[in-house]
Amino acid sequence: QLQACGGGLVQAGSSLRLSCAASGRTFSRDVMGWFRQAPGKEREFVAAIHWCGVSTDYADSVKGRFTISRDNAKNTMYLYMNSLKPEDTVVYYCASRYYTTSRTYADYAYWGQGTQVTVSS
């Protein structure tokens, strides 16, 4: 089970940290990722991190602004979001899968509930 939190209402240019806590099984060997979804649109890849934490991948739209990290000892993944823009306003989801990072949401087997991020201009 994955549980995401940390969303909220912030002004453009602000920062937020999302957390995704895993429970029920050990996720330390999983690839973990963040996706986001706007109403009526397909779930969009944001970032992913390999189980060892060394390999990461980012969508072009967030590269340089967002940082993904994980703490396997705490079974928790983070997304540090800086320089937030109004277009970052969507629901963010965390997910996990085996083996390799992927940008395809259908490749992820486990999902947390979403956390809403709202960025005002």
Side-chain angles (χ1 to χ4, degrees), residues 8-79:
L9 171 62
V10 297
Q11 290 187 331
S14 299
S15 300
L16 273 178
R17 186 189 77 169
L18 303 184
S19 299
C20 176
S23 63
R25 57 181 286 268
T26 300
F27 285 81
S28 60
R29 292 286 180 171
D30 287 7
V31 167
M32 299 190 76
W34 289 98
F35 288 77
R36 62 188 185 183
Q37 188 171 23
K41 293 190 176 182
E42 194 167 279
R43 200 160 290 191
E44 172 191 30
F45 171 77
V46 175
I49 185 167
H50 196 261
W51 69 266
C52 67
V54 174
S55 177
T56 58
D57 187 24
Y58 295 93
D60 288 344
S61 58
V62 305
K63 195 174 293 183
R65 299 190 298 124
F66 292 9
T67 302
I68 189 171
S69 67
R70 64 191 295 166
D71 185 337
N72 287 336
K74 296 182 178 180
N75 244 9
T76 303
M77 173 180 64
Y78 305 97
L79 185 67

